Amino acid sequence: MKIFIRTHQRTNSLIIILAVIFVIGLAGHREVGAGPHVQEMRGTWFGFIQGGHDPVESAIAEINEQENRRFRGVIDAGGPHVIEGTVSASGKVNYQSDSAGHLVGKAELHDFGGGAAILDGTLTRPSIDDRFIIPCVRVLRAFAPFQDAAAPTGRYVGEMDGGEEMTIMLGAPRDPVSPTSLGGELEVVIDGIAHSFVLVGTFSEDGRIVAIGHKATHGHLILDARLASPPDPVQPSFITGRIEIELGDGSVREAEFQAEFSRGIVVVDAD
């Protein structure tokens, strides 16, 4: 009888211990699954502010503080502004500044991995006559540096899947933000009209190329592509990917493209 009681007590204790472990495991699993995904905002962002006029303003932001979804930094948009903002798990970004005039920004975060990302949105700020203007703001954060970072500079000629001819010229920017920064120009013919965009881009160790671009009067683009280099050095290299172009009339062209490297022509010191 005594043996039975001790065995029963030990069995109950074991059941309780296993139950506690199981509950802790479930709680831990729920915590991991339900934990908020925090988008990384820290880094140097470089791009442009486009309000439909020429020349386009450059924009640079340095975000060096982030705690969960809140971040803090400085953006130079017609003058330096200390900004504070938030980023949601889905990539919605809101920030504002009360220094040197009230400024409000709203953007979408497009994260490409490896450090590269694009902030695409609008910026509300006072103009000289105390009216508010809301231009387009598009800035890019470069891929993380890596050893032997050979930039895919050169001239690439091809077309989009709608048959539009395009030329991509990649080179080193005059003011590189990172060793993986790119500058250059993209020209494309849409409906018989030639459009030229200045590029700000970045490249990764595995050949990915991400870029934003602007047109002098109005228009901007986002390019996401990869560099394909065949094993045979006699064969040309290709850039293949996707591009989204928005023109001044509000029309948007989204397309796949392929462009072939033209040997012997290299672009350097491009804006």
Side-chain angles (χ1 to χ4, degrees), residues 40 42-45 110-118 140-144 202:
E40 179 61 61
R42 287 170 295 187
T44 301
W45 303 77
H110 306 279
D111 196 329
F112 297 90
I118 291 172
L140 174 144
R141 184 177 61 198
F143 281 108
T202 181

Side-chain angles (χ1 to χ4, degrees), residues 141-230:
R141 184 177 61 198
F143 281 108
F146 57 92
Q147 291 184 343
D148 302 324
T153 56
R155 182 173 183 264
Y156 299 81
V157 179
E159 63 180 33
M160 298 193 295
D161 57 16
E164 297 91 341
E165 298 178 356
M166 66 186 304
T167 301
I168 304 172
M169 292 170 284
L170 299 178
R174 291 181 178 176
D175 299 312
V177 176
S178 164
T180 60
S181 293
L182 284 172
E185 186 175 341
L186 184 145
E187 296 178 354
V188 61
V189 178
I190 300 177
D191 297 330
I193 302 175
H195 301 273
S196 181
F197 298 83
V198 176
L199 297 180
V200 176
T202 181
F203 63 96
S204 69
E205 188 172 12
D206 63 353
R208 192 167 188 181
I209 299 172
V210 176
I212 55 178
H214 66 79
K215 193 168 182 258
T217 52
H218 187 65
H220 37 260
L221 64 81
I222 292 179
L223 179 147
D224 181 12
R226 284 195 177 275
L227 176 68
S229 298

Side-chain angles (χ1 to χ4, degrees), residues 56-68:
V56 174
E57 295 181 68
S58 63
I60 186 167
E62 186 71 41
I63 299 174
N64 48 27
E65 297 180 27
Q66 183 171 355
E67 183 176 353
N68 296 323

Side-chain angles (χ1 to χ4, degrees), residues 8-218:
H8 184 66
Q9 289 174 339
R10 290 174 182 173
T11 303
N12 286 344
S13 298
L14 180 59
I15 291 174
I16 293 172
I17 291 171
L18 290 175
V20 170
I21 293 173
F22 180 71
V23 170
I24 291 174
L26 285 179
H29 178 74
R30 283 196 299 268
E31 183 179 355
V32 171
H37 174 65
V38 178
Q39 302 278 7
E40 179 61 61
M41 290 292 297
R42 287 170 295 187
T44 301
W45 303 77
F46 185 79
F48 56 87
I49 303 171
Q50 191 158 31
H53 56 80
D54 187 20
V56 174
E57 295 181 68
S58 63
I60 186 167
E62 186 71 41
I63 299 174
N64 48 27
E65 297 180 27
Q66 183 171 355
E67 183 176 353
N68 296 323
R69 295 181 179 179
R70 296 185 176 276
F71 62 86
R72 180 180 174 88
V74 176
I75 182 171
D76 190 342
H81 298 261
V82 176
I83 59 171
E84 294 183 351
T86 59
V87 56
S88 72
S90 61
K92 302 288 185 182
V93 177
N94 294 279
Y95 59 89
Q96 62 180 354
S97 172
D98 290 320
S99 62
H102 190 60
L103 176 148
V104 177
K106 296 181 180 295
E108 293 277 351
L109 174 64
H110 306 279
D111 196 329
F112 297 90
I118 291 172
L119 279 176
D120 180 23
T122 59
L123 185 70
T124 304
R125 60 180 183 176
S127 62
I128 298 175
D129 57 4
D130 293 329
R131 295 182 179 180
F132 282 95
I133 54 175
I134 310 177
C136 162
V137 178
R138 190 165 283 178
V139 289
L140 174 144
R141 184 177 61 198
F143 281 108
F146 57 92
Q147 291 184 343
D148 302 324
T153 56
R155 182 173 183 264
Y156 299 81
V157 179
E159 63 180 33
M160 298 193 295
D161 57 16
E164 297 91 341
E165 298 178 356
M166 66 186 304
T167 301
I168 304 172
M169 292 170 284
L170 299 178
R174 291 181 178 176
D175 299 312
V177 176
S178 164
T180 60
S181 293
L182 284 172
E185 186 175 341
L186 184 145
E187 296 178 354
V188 61
V189 178
I190 300 177
D191 297 330
I193 302 175
H195 301 273
S196 181
F197 298 83
V198 176
L199 297 180
V200 176
T202 181
F203 63 96
S204 69
E205 188 172 12
D206 63 353
R208 192 167 188 181
I209 299 172
V210 176
I212 55 178
H214 66 79
K215 193 168 182 258
T217 52
H218 187 65

